[in-house]
């Protein structure tokens, strides 16, 4: 656990090197520290070491951590962190999700989008979301099929409570990061294609891809949000 600051520094160095290889500056890529399954103490250590963005994959787990983390940051006079929902969202959890998360990475159906929009309108807000795409074709993975995205975006235009700001995908679990390069490249191409359509109000400013095993490859392929857990919290990776 006391390796967290060191691990975080190491991940940031690798991120910066990958950014430079892809002709970008390190600060154009946001590191999301994925804290699912980690204790409040571990998260506090990461925040004290400079983590700014927290990723959780379950609303209920995030709810348990939200208050203690908020109090910790207030007590230490630190800036608040941003909370990202990176895991699957059920429609009956949208209300609490909107109370915590500034970006939802995992929207993969129009019914979910409609519910987020409805709840956001009640809050007189616009919620930023990413569309999750299944780029690997694995049946076990959430996400839209690439071929359905155009249609999804067109239909989303009627919902004023949400703002689509990019795409998210998960690579395959593999020990070789190169395995996911084609999937990441395909997400980048899909993003370019949607951008070229110039849908009103839709930006493709974020590409959320890359985890512990493959974040450097993801950055080389254009990721600007990377979601990293194990490399920060575990000493063996
Ligand atoms: C757990 C998780 C991550 C982080 O994975 P690590 O391998 O621990 O870096 C990223 N994205 C999602 C959606 C996750 O569930």
């Amino acid at each position: 656990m006391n390796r967290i600051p060191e691990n975080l520094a190491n991940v940031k160095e690798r991120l910066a090197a990958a950014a430079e290889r892809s002709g970008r500056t390190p600060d154009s890529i946001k590191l999301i520290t994925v804290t699912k399954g980690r204790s409040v103490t571990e998260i506090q250590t990461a925040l004290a070491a400079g983590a700014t963005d927290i990723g959780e994959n379950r609303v209920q787990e995030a709810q348990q951590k939200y208050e203690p983390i908020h109090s910790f940051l207030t007590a230490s006079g630190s800036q608040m962190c941003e909370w990202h929902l990176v895991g699957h969202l059920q429609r009956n959890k949208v209300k609490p999700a909107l109370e915590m998360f500034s970006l939802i990475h995992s929207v993969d159906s129009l019914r979910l989008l409609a519910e987020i929009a409805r709840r956001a309108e009640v809050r007189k807000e616009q919620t930023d979301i990413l569309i999750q795409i299944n780029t690997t074709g694995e049946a076990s993975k959430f996400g839209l099929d690439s071929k359905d995205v155009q249609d999804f975006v067109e239909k989303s235009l009627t919902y004023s409570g949400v703002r689509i700001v990019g795409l998210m995908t998960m690579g395959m679990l593999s020990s070789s990061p190169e395995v996911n390069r084609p999937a990441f490249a395909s997400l980048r191409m899909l993003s370019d294609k949607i951008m070229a359509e110039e849908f009103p109000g839709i930006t493709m400013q974020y590409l959320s891809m890359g985890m512990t095993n493959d974040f450097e490859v993801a950055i080389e392929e254009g990721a600007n949000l990377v979601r990293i857990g194990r490399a920060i919290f575990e000493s063996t990776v």
Side-chain angles (χ1 to χ4, degrees):
M1 201 195 93
N2 40 19
R3 285 184 54 98
I4 292 171
E6 203 180 320
N7 289 346
L8 187 63
N10 182 259
V11 165
K12 283 184 180 172
E13 257 173 51
R14 290 168 60 191
L15 182 153
E20 265 151 41
R21 286 198 296 281
S22 71
R24 289 180 294 156
T25 58
D27 60 10
S28 66
I29 296 161
K30 189 177 272 189
L31 170 61
I32 300 169
T33 301
V34 176
T35 53
K36 61 162 184 264
R38 312 295 171 186
S39 68
V40 168
T41 312
E42 286 174 293
I43 300 169
Q44 288 171 348
T45 305
L47 290 167
T52 56
D53 288 72
I54 296 296
E56 281 283 341
N57 70 345
R58 284 162 169 270
V59 172
Q60 257 165 325
E61 185 177 337
Q63 275 177 306
Q64 287 163 9
K65 297 170 178 175
Y66 191 83
E67 256 321 303
I69 296 294
H70 195 276
S71 310
F72 167 77
L73 290 172
T74 306
S76 58
S78 312
Q79 218 180 327
M80 286 304 135
C81 60
E82 300 273 333
W83 291 71
H84 298 251
L85 182 63
V86 300
H88 187 65
L89 176 59
Q90 287 171 319
R91 277 179 301 144
N92 63 2
K93 296 282 175 11
V94 168
K95 186 169 185 276
L98 295 192
E99 288 161 9
M100 295 181 288
F101 297 106
S102 47
L103 183 61
I104 297 172
H105 291 229
S106 50
V107 175
D108 62 355
S109 76
L110 275 174
R111 290 174 77 197
L112 175 59
L113 186 90
E115 179 63 6
I116 295 171
R118 187 178 79 77
R119 294 282 184 185
E121 282 162 26
V122 171
R123 295 168 62 85
K124 304 199 182 338
E125 287 173 3
Q126 244 192 349
T127 299
D128 286 349
I129 63 117
L130 306 179
I131 309 172
Q132 182 171 355
I133 313 291
N134 182 343
T135 50
T136 63
E138 293 163 286
S140 60
K141 286 267 165 69
F142 289 108
L144 291 185
D145 213 278
S146 299
K147 67 172 175 17
D148 299 328
V149 176
Q150 191 103 348
D151 185 51
F152 181 94
V153 173
E154 272 167 33
K155 291 192 170 125
S156 78
L157 296 174
T158 57
Y159 300 105
S160 60
V162 286
R163 222 162 55 106
I164 298 176
V165 294
L167 305 178
M168 178 272 220
T169 200
M170 284 178 83
M172 284 188 263
L173 260 188
S174 165
S175 50
S176 162
E178 289 298 331
V179 165
N180 288 321
R181 192 181 290 277
F184 295 152
S186 77
L187 196 73
R188 170 63 184 272
M189 282 190 295
L190 188 59
S191 164
D192 289 346
K193 201 171 125 198
I194 295 167
M195 202 141 60
E197 299 271 348
E198 298 184 349
F199 291 110
I202 308 270
T203 72
M204 282 287 127
Q205 62 176 305
Y206 292 120
L207 273 182
S208 170
M209 54 189 195
M211 314 188 347
T212 289
N213 281 339
D214 52 24
F215 73 92
E216 287 150 305
V217 167
I219 290 170
E220 287 165 15
E221 296 301 328
N224 55 10
L225 293 177
V226 290
R227 312 178 308 265
I228 301 178
R230 286 174 300 136
I232 295 170
F233 291 103
E234 290 173 19
S235 47
T236 51
V237 286

